Amino acid sequence: MTDVPVSRLRNFCIIAHIDHGKSTLADRLLQDTGTVSGRDMQDQFLDNMDLERERGITIKLQAARMNYKASDGEEYVLNLIDTPGHVDFSYEVSRSLQACEGALLVVDASQGVEAQTLANVYLALENDLEIIPVLNKIDLPGAEPEKIKHEIEQIIGLDSSKAISCSAKTGLGITEILQAVVDRIPPPTDSPGQATKALIFDSYYDSYRGVIVYFRLISGVINVKDKVLLMASKKSYELDEIGVMAPEQLRVDELHAGEVGYLAASIKAVADARVGDTITLLNSPAEDPLPGYKEAKPMVFCGLFPTDADQYPDLREALDKLQLSDAALKYEPETSSAMGFGFRCGFLGLLHMEIVQERLEREYDLDLIVTAPSVIYKVNMMDGEILMIDNPAILPDPQKRESIEEPYVRMEIYAPNDYNGTLMGLCQERRGDFLDMKYITTDRVTLIYEIPLGEVVTDFFDQMKSRTKGYASMEYHLIGYRPNDLVRLDVLINSEKADPLTTIVHRDKAYGVGKGLVEKLKELIPRQQFKIPLQASIGSRIIASESISAMRKDVLAKCYGGDISRKKKLLQKQAKGKKRMKAMGKVDVPQEAFMAVLKLDQ
Amino acid sequence: MSDFCPHSPPRSAYLHIPFCFRRCFYCDFVVVPLGDKANGAIGPGSESIKAYLKLLHREISVSEKGPPLSTVYIGGGTPSLLSSTQISDLIEHLRRHFGFQDGSELTLEVDPGSFNEQGLDLYIDCGINRFSLGAQSFDDYFLEQIGRKHRFKNLAESCFLLDQAYKKKNISSWSLDLIQNLPGQSFSSWEKQLSQAIETSAPHLSIYDLSIEPGTVFAWREKRGELDLPKEDLAMEISRATVSMLKRAGFGRYEISNFAFPGHASRHNRVYWSGAGWWGFGQGATSSPWGQRLARPKTRDLYRSWVEFQEIHGPDPSLQASNAKKIAFDEQLIVGLRSREGVDLEALAKANGCNSAQRVAYLQPLKSRWQAFVEEGLLIRSGKRFRLSDPQGFEITNQVLVEMLLWWDSLPNDAVLLPNSRVPL
């Protein structure tokens, strides 16, 4: 391991929109610096989880240390800190930016700047990071580097005369990038004699060593013999090991200010070593923690129920385990008369929710029913009490409540101006209040809306993408609660209230949603031996109804000696479908039905 | 009828004759269409038939021996494309190899119009004592629509000849196959056809709902939206009419699609639904002599290689008594519930090696899963047996079987009831 003075350290990250080639570029940097040999190279080296590779997105960030001999003949240590690229994880992005002095802004040379990139660049600028614009995918026929450079200057106000054109795929421009990191990104500030402060920018759970914490040492020194104190969680630990990521973890005895490293200290859960917390030494602690720590708060909630009630203990165990590695995941037991025992879970956003669901099913082999996502409503009761409700089914009766408030976000949608009309239509359907429209270039525009989060966590993103052929991107943040005329819409299946299908909607939309919902359920719930009435109601008033006619005939005409194998396969297929359904009273309801409210043609 | 004895040797044999004039639009069987001019020992395709029969004889020769047969079924395809001598040779070969029990049932599938009085007598002289006539429909419009070669006139003649033979006691029984719920079918046209079928005096009727099988002409026509299949309500009316009309005419429904006068149920087919074993011979044929099903290769070349392989190495392991296995319990229920008698769970579990405590432990969850069907009168519990009610229960057989498969899937891996391998759902 090269030990270099602070002046030859560079800490940087890559800011890019999904698909703009961040992971490929990271791979290429690791390869060209000889950090990872071509033989060991797996595509998208930094994306560890299978899920990340499959979806091509970064969920958990990672870091890698590279040695690079620059043109001045000196050996430099470059720490690349990977950042997640999705709006659900923006807090984690902000922490990783704080751990750096510079950033590569990677923009697809044919696609241009996107909303999420923009949001992260602004974050980086706020953190005083040196930003190096990089135009990627320059080898593609549609590349328009001059136009995109112009866009970067116009939109972000960055001098792009020194932007580097590259192709992470072919390797073009990689040396220039590495040299620019050395030349243009400042080294960390040296801080001799100051108390030890290190910023946690990531952590993950390792079943053998406990939580592995990734940190950036802002000041002071950490030695493997030290006892450390985590300032927010107020917990102290003896260190088992410290080291650097090369990119495999490599133990060292000591790390100095400016360096990026990891530690293991038999920490039981990531909740004890949260991203943003400050590490200091127990014996000579810093006076103040680093600024900006906040706990990631879930914004989206849903019910998770095992299809098979016997799997409830397994689900609990799986959630316990997942939480060890995912501090943002919240859950508490939920019991529903219709669904039995399950959990109410909180997530950062829809992607986070999908990831957790998929991990539970894939890694823990559970069959789950996931109910439609909800946000937290603030209910002002007649008696002055204020309730925070994350489950529509438990919204108190109208007589008892004074008003309901719902969370609003400020949303920026970024798209070619051809789609203005359709996007404004979408936002209006979703009860958005128009704030502003800004032309960023002559043909690209930002639409700014204030819109209820409850309308965003449905199929908003999918709708936005499909209505703009994928060209639009969006970014949002919470701005507070606002009262609205909201009602609780219940669904009755076979005359029994189906709690998990209860939703909170604006009164003006209740009729349309109710009608759409029962129609959709009629499509999604398979016929059974009896007729099934479907109703949507507000309080005791039925506002829409449908019914599923009884299954009258389900029989195989022939079954002789030669038919048995094939007929059995057909029956098994049918049984498999049924196994994935949840019995609500006498009715078998498939998973898709619980998400019906997301699939209405509004 | 015993519910199944896993180790008693097979008493039945199926012979597959894969030749046809043409492939009908609904058919997905292993068949070799020879053209409308094919005709027994002299017409087009006769060389192909001869070559095939040589292979079939070779397959019978390499088979293990077994006790005398009680039923033989020569099906296809169109076995009446074979000359009486060819049929006779096959029967004689089976007689030499296995022998026949007294009163054994020998069925031959025949196409309407493919035999005359003399031809029929020759088949009877070979020992055939039961005929199954592939009528499918009495209406020329529908016969045309489903790609059949024969017409009503041929069907009427054949029925007359079979009825004569039956009345003269030259044969012990005969049967008609019909398909209901064909594209474009109306209730009145079906009623008329069924009446015509009853008027033929056939003592046995097989009435199948049309099912669209992958790879058939009907499958792609349906995909293109060209099939005007009866809507569910009409289809139900038609099926219900079948059941009530046949009941009134004195038929008993002894299986979902099979109706017979007392004493005329097909003994051969009941073997399949009872879970007992059977020999199978011929290209594409399935056998299950000792509890393991084996489907033969579907093409001539592969079938030939398969026969040759056995001539050198001996019979396939599944065809050897020394490898006898129990038929999986779930499959016994799948076939058993199709019959009027239904199934005796306790007896089946016992035959599968369960003691009384195990029987309670394993079967109780199945019974609770079935309870809703029992309460709705779809499944009837009489004495030790469970059977589907007629017609409501039969109509939703799959629902009952799906519950059973879910139960099967939920059994602990070490359950005595389970066979060596169980495919999880």
Side-chain angles (χ1 to χ4, degrees):
Chain A
M1 180 55 47
T2 336
D3 207 3
V4 298
V6 173
S7 62
R8 293 213 301 272
L9 270 179
R10 298 291 182 273
N11 297 320
F12 71 105
C13 61
I14 304 177
I15 296 172
H17 188 71
I18 295 166
D19 294 339
H20 282 199
K22 181 177 71 172
S23 300
T24 319
L25 177 60
D27 290 350
R28 187 56 86 161
L29 295 176
L30 293 179
Q31 238 176 329
D32 279 25
T33 53
T35 313
V36 177
S37 71
R39 190 165 45 86
D40 294 338
M41 198 71 205
Q42 250 178 316
D43 274 355
Q44 296 164 22
F45 197 87
L46 289 179
D47 294 348
N48 260 336
M49 268 192 278
D50 284 351
L51 262 172
E52 294 187 2
R53 282 210 188 91
E54 277 169 32
R55 289 176 176 235
I57 52 169
T58 309
I59 300 161
K60 294 296 289 178
L61 44 149
Q62 299 279 349
R65 176 176 168 131
M66 300 173 271
N67 294 323
Y68 178 64
K69 198 170 198 148
S71 54
D72 60 7
E74 297 279 1
E75 188 94 12
Y76 285 79
V77 167
L78 315 182
N79 282 307
L80 166 60
I81 294 170
D82 202 14
T83 56
H86 192 274
V87 60
D88 282 5
F89 304 98
S90 56
Y91 176 67
E92 295 189 319
V93 176
S94 76
R95 295 304 89 186
S96 54
L97 291 176
Q98 273 202 3
C100 304
E101 278 78 34
L104 299 175
L105 166 63
V106 177
V107 180
D108 186 315
S110 54
Q111 308 248 326
V113 181
E114 306 276 2
Q116 185 63 41
T117 325
L118 208 54
N120 288 343
V121 173
Y122 289 141
L123 267 178
L125 289 170
E126 275 171 35
N127 282 300
D128 275 336
L129 263 54
E130 177 67 32
I131 293 170
I132 302 171
V134 172
L135 303 177
N136 192 18
K137 306 195 187 179
I138 201 80
D139 56 315
L140 294 186
E144 295 176 286
E146 288 315 311
K147 183 182 158 201
I148 304 299
K149 271 188 202 175
H150 184 66
E151 208 177 277
I152 292 173
E153 290 200 351
Q154 265 197 307
I155 301 171
I156 309 171
L158 276 179
D159 174 10
S160 58
S161 60
K162 289 201 288 179
I164 301 167
S165 293
C166 87
S167 164
K169 212 169 104 197
T170 66
L172 182 83
I174 300 301
T175 315
E176 286 85 336
I177 292 174
L178 288 166
Q179 189 59 44
V181 168
V182 168
D183 292 344
R184 286 156 67 180
I185 295 177
T189 358
D190 203 359
S191 56
Q194 285 186 30
T196 298
K197 279 188 198 178
L199 174 74
I200 300 180
F201 65 84
D202 191 18
S203 62
Y204 72 92
Y205 183 77
D206 177 301
S207 38
Y208 298 105
R209 299 181 294 169
V211 176
I212 306 295
V213 175
Y214 286 3
F215 60 89
R216 153 75 194 269
L217 203 50
I218 305 289
S219 58
V221 179
I222 290 182
N223 188 287
V224 70
K225 295 191 182 107
D226 287 331
K227 279 185 186 170
V228 296
L229 171 72
L230 303 187
M231 298 182 80
S233 72
K234 299 194 173 54
K235 293 194 171 165
S236 59
Y237 299 94
E238 280 186 37
L239 293 172
D240 297 333
E241 58 176 284
I242 61 171
V244 295
M245 289 70 81
E248 284 87 12
Q249 290 170 358
L250 192 68
R251 288 179 183 222
V252 299
D253 289 335
E254 199 165 78
L255 288 166
H256 300 99
E259 286 192 288
V260 172
Y262 75 91
L263 65 81
S266 307
I267 303 171
K268 287 202 188 69
V270 287
D272 296 329
R274 288 177 186 273
V275 170
D277 201 347
T278 303
I279 305 168
T280 189
L281 300 182
L282 185 65
N283 294 327
S284 51
E287 280 180 21
D288 304 307
L290 296 161
Y293 172 75
K294 61 178 185 190
E295 222 174 277
K297 278 208 181 71
M299 304 233 273
V300 176
F301 293 80
C302 73
L304 284 183
F305 297 88
T307 1
D308 176 358
D310 293 345
Q311 282 195 335
Y312 177 77
D314 302 338
L315 175 56
R316 173 188 290 276
E317 199 178 312
L319 284 168
D320 286 346
K321 277 191 193 151
L322 270 191
Q323 203 183 33
L324 293 178
S325 62
D326 186 346
L329 171 68
K330 293 271 172 8
Y331 59 93
E332 55 185 43
E334 176 182 357
T335 316
S336 145
S337 56
M339 303 289 282
F341 292 101
F343 292 93
R344 192 78 194 162
C345 302
F347 307 94
L348 297 173
L350 279 187
L351 179 72
H352 186 211
M353 172 174 136
E354 279 170 32
I355 288 163
V356 170
Q357 179 196 349
E358 223 168 297
R359 288 187 67 185
L360 287 170
E361 297 200 330
R362 209 186 277 202
E363 294 169 26
Y364 297 92
D365 196 25
L366 297 165
D367 280 332
L368 295 177
I369 296 291
V370 183
T371 65
S374 164
V375 298
I376 300 191
Y377 294 91
K378 189 170 162 187
V379 184
N380 301 305
M381 302 294 282
M382 289 293 192
D383 60 6
E385 198 188 348
I386 295 171
L387 298 178
M388 301 305 279
I389 298 287
D390 62 22
N391 180 357
I394 57 171
L395 185 74
D397 291 335
Q399 310 87 282
K400 292 185 186 159
R401 52 182 206 240
E402 165 92 33
S403 62
I404 308 177
E405 295 179 38
E406 61 180 326
Y408 265 70
V409 294
R410 179 189 159 99
M411 173 182 283
E412 297 193 13
I413 304 181
Y414 193 65
N417 60 356
D418 301 349
Y419 299 109
N420 279 353
T422 176
L423 286 170
M424 290 172 93
L426 175 65
C427 291
Q428 208 152 358
E429 284 163 32
R430 304 304 163 92
R431 301 191 285 128
D433 297 325
F434 175 78
L435 275 196
D436 199 1
M437 178 168 88
K438 287 191 233 169
Y439 271 87
I440 300 168
T441 62
T442 47
D443 55 358
R444 310 195 72 173
V445 89
T446 306
L447 295 170
I448 304 170
Y449 273 84
E450 290 182 351
I451 188 167
L453 179 62
E455 298 278 355
V456 180
V457 301
T458 58
D459 61 342
F460 189 95
F461 186 77
D462 294 343
Q463 282 294 326
M464 179 191 78
K465 284 287 180 193
S466 79
R467 292 189 195 189
T468 61
K469 303 196 176 79
Y471 280 117
S473 57
M474 69 183 214
E475 209 274 322
Y476 61 82
H477 61 269
L478 200 62
I479 51 171
Y481 276 79
R482 290 180 190 178
N484 266 323
D485 188 7
L486 301 174
V487 293
R488 192 180 83 196
L489 183 69
D490 290 319
V491 173
L492 291 91
I493 297 177
N494 202 26
S495 308
E496 284 178 43
K497 203 175 124 195
D499 282 353
L501 285 161
T502 297
T503 146
I504 292 174
V505 291
H506 194 274
R507 190 179 299 277
D508 296 347
K509 291 175 85 177
Y511 175 74
V513 170
K515 190 164 173 290
L517 203 49
V518 290
E519 279 168 7
K520 201 76 199 173
L521 289 174
K522 185 179 175 173
E523 259 172 56
L524 294 172
I525 299 176
R527 295 192 301 166
Q528 334 245 319
Q529 282 97 259
F530 44 89
K531 184 178 168 181
I532 307 165
L534 299 170
Q535 293 156 316
S537 72
I538 299 175
S540 56
R541 191 162 54 91
I542 304 289
I543 58 164
S545 62
E546 274 288 347
S547 71
I548 301 170
S549 56
M551 156 81 68
R552 300 184 64 192
K553 207 166 179 193
D554 186 14
V555 56
L556 302 165
K558 276 190 184 184
C559 191
Y560 295 100
D563 303 320
I564 299 171
S565 302
R566 203 157 44 93
K567 299 293 155 78
K568 184 177 172 184
K569 274 196 192 117
L570 288 175
L571 290 166
Q572 280 172 327
K573 202 174 152 198
Q574 207 174 333
K576 198 173 172 178
K578 186 162 180 178
K579 194 184 170 189
R580 297 270 297 127
M581 293 185 212
K582 182 83 188 168
M584 297 185 71
K586 282 163 69 188
V587 184
D588 290 315
V589 183
Q591 160 68 57
E592 306 84 69
F594 294 96
M595 291 290 177
V597 71
L598 302 191
K599 305 204 172 82
L600 308 180
D601 307 318
Q602 293 193 359
Chain B
M1 186 181 66
S2 80
D3 259 306
F4 144 72
C5 299
H7 296 297
S8 57
R11 300 281 187 162
S12 297
Y14 174 78
L15 265 61
H16 191 69
I17 308 298
F19 304 97
C20 275
F21 294 107
R22 8 164 142 166
R23 181 181 282 284
C24 302
F25 298 162
Y26 52 85
C27 173
D28 70 334
F29 288 0
V30 175
V31 298
V32 182
L34 297 177
D36 286 353
K37 293 193 178 116
N39 181 20
I42 45 164
S46 56
E47 290 308 314
S48 178
I49 293 178
K50 275 182 210 157
Y52 173 72
L53 289 175
K54 266 187 196 156
L55 271 179
L56 185 54
H57 280 287
R58 282 164 68 184
E59 194 199 344
I60 298 171
S61 299
V62 296
S63 166
E64 258 187 8
K65 304 255 174 181
L69 300 173
S70 156
T71 75
V72 173
Y73 197 102
I74 305 177
T78 306
S80 52
L81 276 169
L82 268 56
S83 69
S84 56
T85 320
Q86 288 169 324
I87 297 286
S88 171
D89 287 348
L90 288 171
I91 290 175
E92 286 315 309
H93 196 169
L94 290 176
R95 193 191 304 279
R96 287 196 305 278
H97 202 89
F98 299 102
F100 293 124
Q101 291 183 354
D102 286 346
S104 51
E105 173 193 279
L106 275 67
T107 306
L108 181 69
E109 269 184 4
V110 288
D111 250 23
S114 68
F115 56 92
N116 54 23
E117 187 173 4
Q118 191 199 357
L120 186 64
D121 286 342
L122 288 170
Y123 285 141
I124 295 169
D125 290 345
C126 304
I128 300 292
N129 52 24
R130 186 176 180 276
F131 288 87
S132 173
L133 185 65
Q136 316 314 351
S137 174
F138 279 83
D139 186 321
D140 281 353
Y141 169 78
F142 288 109
L143 289 169
E144 169 92 43
Q145 291 298 304
I146 62 178
R148 295 292 300 186
K149 176 183 176 245
H150 77 266
R151 291 294 175 263
F152 172 72
K153 190 166 72 74
N154 314 111
L155 176 56
E157 278 165 22
S158 296
C159 288
F160 175 77
L161 294 176
L162 288 167
D163 185 43
Q164 291 291 306
Y166 175 62
K167 286 191 173 133
K168 284 192 245 164
K169 297 201 183 342
N170 288 341
I171 56 176
S172 55
S173 191
W174 66 287
S175 171
L176 272 182
D177 278 9
L178 283 181
I179 306 177
Q180 66 186 9
N181 288 317
L182 288 172
Q185 193 142 55
S186 69
F187 185 77
S188 56
S189 86
W190 174 249
E191 243 184 343
K192 188 178 163 205
Q193 290 194 50
L194 196 60
S195 307
Q196 285 171 294
I198 293 169
E199 278 163 27
T200 64
S201 307
H204 184 283
L205 295 173
S206 298
I207 315 284
Y208 300 110
D209 252 323
L210 175 67
S211 65
I212 309 292
E213 302 297 340
T216 60
V217 172
F218 272 178
W220 57 259
R221 283 198 184 164
E222 187 189 32
K223 212 170 175 181
R224 297 198 312 217
E226 292 172 3
L227 283 192
D228 172 28
L229 294 168
K231 299 273 173 297
E232 189 179 39
D233 284 350
L234 175 58
M236 281 299 293
E237 254 184 274
I238 286 176
S239 318
R240 289 271 172 106
T242 303
V243 176
S244 57
M245 280 172 72
L246 293 183
K247 210 162 262 178
R248 251 180 285 135
F251 286 88
R253 187 185 198 180
Y254 70 99
E255 193 257 2
I256 290 170
S257 305
N258 284 280
F259 303 81
F261 287 150
H264 285 270
S266 159
R267 276 158 51 196
H268 183 85
N269 285 340
R270 296 193 79 153
V271 166
Y272 300 133
W273 305 316
S274 73
W278 73 91
W279 301 104
F281 300 103
Q283 182 181 333
T286 299
S287 64
S288 179
W290 309 109
Q292 292 183 78
R293 274 195 308 279
L294 173 76
R296 279 146 193 72
K298 291 184 172 160
T299 63
R300 177 78 68 87
D301 286 347
L302 290 176
Y303 174 61
R304 178 187 297 112
S305 315
W306 181 79
V307 171
E308 283 167 357
F309 184 86
Q310 293 188 101
E311 286 172 337
I312 299 161
H313 301 282
D316 183 277
S318 75
L319 304 176
Q320 298 176 17
S322 52
N323 291 321
K325 287 205 170 111
K326 295 179 175 84
I327 299 176
F329 189 82
D330 61 332
E331 295 190 3
Q332 289 174 30
L333 298 190
I334 291 175
V335 293
L337 279 171
R338 297 187 67 85
S339 68
R340 174 167 57 197
E341 294 80 10
V343 291
D344 179 344
L345 296 181
E346 307 286 336
L348 284 174
K350 208 168 171 178
N352 277 270
C354 296
N355 63 32
S356 64
Q358 287 164 336
R359 292 204 294 277
V360 172
Y362 299 146
L363 297 179
Q364 200 47 51
L366 175 61
K367 289 175 186 167
S368 5
R369 278 175 184 270
W370 274 354
Q371 189 53 31
F373 297 109
V374 173
E375 281 165 19
E376 286 172 57
L378 298 167
L379 196 57
I380 294 171
R381 213 177 155 167
S382 54
K384 289 176 154 184
R385 309 190 77 88
F386 280 91
R387 63 181 169 86
L388 290 158
S389 64
D390 180 12
Q392 289 88 346
F394 275 146
E395 281 160 4
I396 51 93
T397 312
N398 291 359
Q399 305 270 314
V400 176
L401 293 176
V402 160
E403 274 308 324
M404 184 278 293
L405 287 173
L406 289 169
W407 160 77
W408 185 247
D409 190 57
S410 74
L411 283 176
N413 282 326
D414 57 355
V416 180
L417 204 51
L418 294 177
N420 293 335
S421 62
R422 168 180 56 169
V423 184
L425 285 179

